[in-house]
Amino acid sequence: MQRREFLKLSALLGSAGALPGLLSGCSAPPLPGSGEISTRCTVCNICFWQCAATLYTENGKPWKVVGNPEDPHCNGRLCTRGTGGIASYSDPDRLKQPLIRVTENGKQTFRPASWDEALGIIAGKMQAIAEHHGNDRIALFSHGDGGKHFQRLLQAYGSHACAHPSFAQCRGPRETAFGLTFGEGVGSPDRTDMAKSRCIVLIGSHIGENLHNSQVQTLMQALDQHATLITVDPRFSVPASKSRHWLPIKPGTDTALLLAWMNVLINEQLYDREYVERYCSGFEELDRHVQPYTPEWAWLETGLEPALIRETARAMAQAAPATLIHPGRHVTWYGDDTQRCRAIAILNALLGSWGRPGGFYRQEKVDLPPYPAPAPPEPEHDWMSTVQGNYPLVTTGISNVLIDHSVGKDAFFKGWFIYATNLTTTIPGIRKQLEQAAESLELMVVVDTMPAEITGYADVVLPECTYLERYDDLRNKAERTPTLALRSPAFPPRHDSKPAWWIARELAGHLNLGKYFPWQDYREVLDWQLEQVGSSLEEMERIGVKTFPRKTPLSFEPDKPVKFNTPGNRIELYSRHLARTGHDPLPKYTPPERPPEGYFHLNYGRAAAHTFGGTINNPLLFELMPENTVWVHPAAAAKLAVGNGEYVRLKNPEGTHSNRIRVRVTQRIRPDSVFLVHGFGHTDPRQRLAHGAGADDSGLMHNVKIDPVTGGTGMRASFVTLVREEA
Ligand code: MGD
Ligand code: SF4
């Protein structure tokens, strides 16, 4: 028997059987709002945009959640997902108590346990790992606020390795490329000044399907002011439908287009010469570099006509510097992602949009001191150079690299903590490796609100309460207006769930590390921090959001010098860091692989009703979008003899099949590609709504391309075909 079998026993959590009703436990009164109403301030946790909101309860039960009008992340309006987020509280499939893996009658299963027992087991295994292998051998995978508490705990224990999939599976190449060029990343919320843009270029970023609240609002404001929208996408996406120009580019050739645009801007003298002379270095090298990349050359690569490439380049120049080439968000596509993101950064520099109205603003956050607790000791070893020394330009953990170093008995890592991230579907093509890691790791702890697939690999599963039942750290993001926002609990934790700060503190107690968590209640931390900036917990519980004055201007000031955190204190068109580390210092185009006969590029994206896989089982959001569909061009559908609405399975060249998925025949996709929304195809029956609904793109990814600069996992280089159900 395997040391750690994947467990998906629906009976474990009880009440297997009938599907859950919507918002069960929340009996609506005859007229909503006629009962006893109370309100609590919160910060939405359905995605990382973190909109501040007010939660209304009626007779102590959830009623509705609405955006806080004072909050610049939402301006009083939550998106579909945020509004439906309330159902995460009453989801009947939530994790209800700690679970520990046991073997009963020769079979592995989970048994409910008390917190004390579960934490005692974890502490015992952590002590054994420290004794036998060293105290730096536990890795943390984290996506979300509460991860900070486990990071603190593990650092106090001696393990500093921490990875967020939002780096190597999402924004890593973008942050790295912008950092190399401008000395700073884009950050989150993205520092785009879209409301004032006169021209916006979306290059594989489908704002409107990808609902980051204020991004969508500012894009709409720009369109109301007749800004020119140019969308580059192999698919006719929602923003493509609102664009002056839709460029249905051949998948994976975006860098060719970006180089051709630079060629036009430079050769037609349309770039911002004054800005470039004042702030940039490496222009001569760039000029020479882009000469071969004419629109005629790019036509053959991208399938886009030279006249269209020239026309769009001129439109950008005409509106500059209020032209924004959007940096995108999920940018790990074909493995040449840092190069593509560098090309986007350089194009913005040529147009003079960095630090200018309508381009990119300068971010500022509230100067909020940390609570005066003892700092965890500095690491004894540099785990980064041991584990990910091949990526010297990366200053954070690379999730897939940490996983590589967890497989086998000689692997560096011996234990994992996984907080709020379902690695099973987040890291492409990971299942086999996950099984191998599960076999060799001595401890795997998963902290989640739901029985996500990853919990099936754990030794111990710890149920966190939802964001509606807990305090978290104050939201303090670097952005346009410095604000603080408070998440406060509207309900006590349901079942036997607990907040992350409590779990980490209790576990610290079991490990004799309690001095690093010198608070009884997280309210003490929040109140102390707020006092330092002239507020209090009492005030924030009343207002939810507090705005602070900026100390620096939003844009560059014409008469003042600007400091760039780059080697030459200038915007680096030619990157010296890339040259020094053996990478191409100017953006290089790598032609993508084309699908074998009968196969299609596997394209994926987001939908307005869901955030990745984490919301599929949410009863309200499931009702809005219960399954995904696979978009197929009519010519391809005819060739495959599949009809609109028919169920098929997707198959990759290695023979892996997906769950069944419905076909959507549409002209909105190129004939060489298919498209589906990511996050579906759950395989764990404990998520009773999501189980078996739609297909999972990640499990089909057979050709993951690693970005040599950041280690990010390029996820768009895989191919699939459609197999009819009866075949
Ligand atoms: P989800 O799949 O939504 O996001 O990937 P993940 O971070 O894995 O899983 C989030 C988990 O958090 C769920 O299991 C949910 O139940 C749990 N959770 C939700 N709220 C809480 C909470 O309050 N506390 C705790 N403890 N758990 C909670 C995202 C990652 O995926 C990212 S950032 C990107 S951009 C990539 N996107 C992407 C893609 O588009 N396509 C493919 N194929 N892969 C992708 N991988 C990346
Ligand atoms: Fe919540 Fe939507 Fe805001 Fe994300 S964008 S935090 S889901 S309201």
Side-chain angles (χ1 to χ4, degrees):
M1 193 207 310
Q2 280 182 313
R3 194 184 86 71
R4 187 181 286 109
E5 281 172 2
F6 175 68
L7 296 182
K8 49 179 181 180
L9 303 177
S10 51
L12 291 170
L13 298 180
S15 65
L19 284 179
L22 291 184
L23 281 177
S24 57
C26 167
S27 52
L31 279 176
S34 57
E36 192 184 320
I37 306 299
S38 66
T39 59
R40 292 289 282 178
C41 62
T42 185
V43 171
C44 181
N45 193 40
I46 300 300
C47 86
F48 35 77
W49 209 251
Q50 298 196 316
C51 301
T54 305
L55 186 105
Y56 288 74
T57 59
E58 181 164 27
N59 302 327
K61 303 257 171 70
W63 174 24
K64 63 178 179 181
V65 58
V66 294
N68 185 324
E70 301 304 318
D71 185 30
H73 291 227
C74 71
N75 301 308
R77 284 172 283 169
L78 297 188
C79 78
T80 322
R81 297 165 301 151
T83 309
I86 199 164
S88 58
Y89 165 74
S90 38
D91 189 329
D93 292 343
R94 278 176 58 170
L95 291 170
K96 297 183 177 67
Q97 65 270 298
L99 299 171
I100 53 178
R101 177 182 291 268
V102 290
T103 304
E104 284 174 3
N105 302 325
K107 275 199 78 171
Q108 291 187 8
T109 184
F110 282 128
R111 162 170 81 66
S114 68
W115 278 97
D116 198 45
E117 183 185 10
L119 297 178
I121 289 172
I122 298 170
K125 291 198 177 196
M126 287 174 75
Q127 277 154 348
I129 290 173
E131 206 171 298
H132 296 125
H133 308 287
N135 58 0
D136 56 351
R137 300 310 174 94
I138 297 185
L140 170 66
F141 299 87
S142 167
H143 193 195
D145 295 328
K148 286 182 200 150
H149 302 295
F150 295 100
Q151 194 169 6
R152 182 174 183 78
L153 171 76
L154 289 173
Q155 287 180 353
Y157 162 84
S159 285
H160 290 247
C162 170
H164 305 268
S166 52
F167 181 82
Q169 280 65 53
C170 187
R171 296 184 293 134
R174 166 188 107 164
E175 293 304 300
T176 306
F178 275 65
L180 290 166
T181 312
F182 299 111
E184 285 173 273
V186 179
S188 182
D190 315 39
R191 54 168 81 194
T192 51
D193 194 20
M194 269 197 286
K196 295 208 190 86
S197 300
R198 304 296 309 131
C199 175
I200 298 171
V201 181
L202 299 179
I203 185 152
S205 175
H206 42 267
I207 297 174
E209 296 172 18
N210 142 11
L211 280 188
H212 289 147
N213 203 332
S214 42
Q215 285 268 310
V216 186
Q217 293 185 25
T218 50
L219 175 64
M220 288 305 135
Q221 283 166 16
L223 293 181
D224 280 350
Q225 300 300 317
H226 310 293
T228 300
L229 182 60
I230 299 168
T231 299
V232 183
D233 200 311
R235 188 174 62 93
F236 191 67
S237 60
V238 169
S241 70
K242 307 205 176 306
S243 299
R244 188 156 312 162
H245 300 282
W246 171 43
L247 279 57
I249 193 163
K250 269 192 214 163
T253 63
D254 303 76
T255 310
L257 172 65
L258 291 159
L259 288 165
W261 272 338
M262 290 183 215
N263 175 297
V264 176
L265 292 181
I266 293 177
N267 288 339
E268 295 190 12
Q269 300 281 317
L270 296 174
Y271 69 97
D272 189 333
R273 179 190 288 263
E274 199 192 323
Y275 181 96
V276 167
E277 281 174 1
R278 180 159 181 200
Y279 299 118
C280 301
S281 64
F283 179 76
E284 289 74 22
E285 290 93 331
L286 178 71
D287 183 356
R288 277 197 301 278
H289 178 72
V290 300
Q291 288 312 315
Y293 304 121
T294 60
E296 285 68 23
W297 166 83
W299 184 16
L300 296 177
E301 296 299 323
T302 61
L304 303 170
E305 294 198 0
L308 183 59
I309 296 177
R310 290 201 168 85
E311 186 185 350
T312 44
R314 289 170 193 152
M316 292 177 214
Q318 205 179 10
T323 293
L324 179 83
I325 318 297
H326 197 285
R329 185 132 189 141
H330 169 78
V331 297
T332 44
W333 298 353
Y334 290 92
D336 60 345
D337 303 303
T338 303
Q339 293 295 350
R340 189 185 68 254
C341 293
R342 274 265 300 149
I344 291 176
I346 292 171
L347 198 56
N348 277 299
L350 289 177
L351 293 162
S353 67
W354 184 262
R356 295 277 195 70
F360 294 83
Y361 63 80
R362 297 165 106 185
Q363 292 155 314
E364 211 181 287
K365 67 197 290 200
V366 181
D367 195 4
L368 189 69
Y371 185 78
E378 287 298 310
E380 285 167 26
H381 309 110
D382 177 6
W383 71 270
M384 277 208 195
S385 59
T386 308
V387 170
Q388 52 184 55
N390 292 343
Y391 304 102
L393 296 174
V394 174
T395 53
T396 184
I398 304 170
S399 31
N400 40 301
V401 175
L402 266 56
I403 293 171
D404 290 342
H405 284 273
S406 305
V407 174
K409 70 176 174 41
D410 298 327
F412 184 83
F413 292 112
K414 301 294 174 194
W416 283 2
F417 271 65
I418 302 169
Y419 175 82
T421 178
N422 191 13
L423 295 181
T424 330
T425 51
T426 297
I427 316 279
I430 196 204
R431 290 231 181 202
K432 194 154 172 248
Q433 228 190 350
L434 205 50
E435 275 156 28
Q436 292 166 340
E439 196 62 17
S440 50
L441 288 170
E442 294 173 19
L443 171 66
M444 195 192 292
V445 179
V446 175
V447 185
D448 209 303
T449 53
M450 294 295 295
E453 282 76 7
I454 190 67
T455 61
Y457 295 94
D459 291 301
V460 185
V461 181
L462 302 176
E464 187 172 24
C465 54
T466 68
Y467 68 104
L468 299 169
E469 302 159 290
R470 65 184 196 229
Y471 288 99
D472 268 314
D473 273 333
L474 293 159
R475 189 198 73 196
N476 182 18
K477 301 268 192 188
E479 53 192 307
R480 174 189 293 274
T481 318
T483 54
L484 294 178
L486 176 71
R487 177 179 291 151
S488 67
F491 313 102
R494 285 188 88 190
H495 315 296
D496 198 8
S497 60
K498 301 282 184 193
W501 65 260
W502 183 94
I503 304 172
R505 191 201 62 183
E506 289 297 303
L507 186 51
H510 280 262
L511 290 160
N512 292 326
L513 297 171
K515 71 171 178 178
Y516 296 104
F517 295 82
W519 47 81
Q520 277 310 304
D521 188 320
Y522 213 58
R523 294 168 56 93
E524 293 162 38
V525 176
L526 300 174
D527 200 33
W528 183 89
Q529 284 191 295
L530 286 164
E531 262 180 34
Q532 313 311 306
V533 291
S535 180
S536 65
L537 189 55
E538 185 276 320
E539 182 190 37
M540 287 301 284
E541 293 204 310
R542 260 188 297 111
I543 60 176
V545 174
K546 192 171 170 87
T547 303
F548 292 78
R550 277 188 75 99
K551 293 182 180 143
T552 54
L554 261 179
S555 307
F556 294 171
E557 294 170 289
D559 49 342
K560 299 236 172 85
V562 179
K563 175 144 181 35
F564 298 98
N565 189 18
T566 53
N569 188 22
R570 291 174 84 79
I571 297 172
E572 292 219 332
L573 306 178
Y574 175 100
S575 167
R576 284 190 257 178
H577 275 317
L578 284 174
R580 180 178 55 77
T581 49
H583 299 291
D584 293 301
L586 289 161
K588 185 180 164 207
Y589 169 63
T590 312
E593 290 164 30
R594 291 285 161 226
E597 183 59 29
Y599 283 80
F600 303 86
H601 288 280
L602 172 60
N603 188 1
Y604 58 83
R606 307 284 161 74
H610 288 292
T611 306
F612 312 120
T615 56
I616 312 291
N617 206 68
N618 172 309
L620 287 175
L621 299 178
F622 180 84
E623 196 182 358
L624 284 180
M625 185 178 178
E627 62 183 332
N628 54 358
T629 56
V630 55
W631 295 29
V632 184
H633 188 270
K639 211 165 158 193
L640 294 161
V642 294
N644 198 33
E646 185 180 336
Y647 275 110
V648 295
R649 286 179 198 270
L650 303 176
K651 186 181 88 162
N652 72 15
E654 292 176 352
T656 304
H657 285 73
S658 71
N659 280 356
R660 61 183 209 147
I661 181 168
R662 222 184 259 279
V663 171
R664 174 176 176 187
V665 178
T666 170
Q667 300 270 2
R668 291 174 59 186
I669 182 95
R670 286 173 54 99
D672 60 2
S673 304
V674 296
F675 170 83
L676 63 157
V677 168
H678 169 66
F680 287 86
H682 281 278
T683 52
D684 196 314
R686 292 174 298 172
Q687 298 205 43
R688 285 174 287 170
L689 291 176
H691 176 230
D696 165 33
D697 53 330
S698 304
L700 292 162
M701 291 175 182
H702 59 98
N703 194 23
V704 177
K705 299 284 185 193
I706 302 295
D707 177 18
V709 182
T710 63
T713 50
M715 305 189 200
R716 296 249 164 105
S718 293
F719 311 114
V720 290
T721 191
L722 279 62
V723 183
R724 300 187 69 191
E725 265 293 65
E726 67 272 21

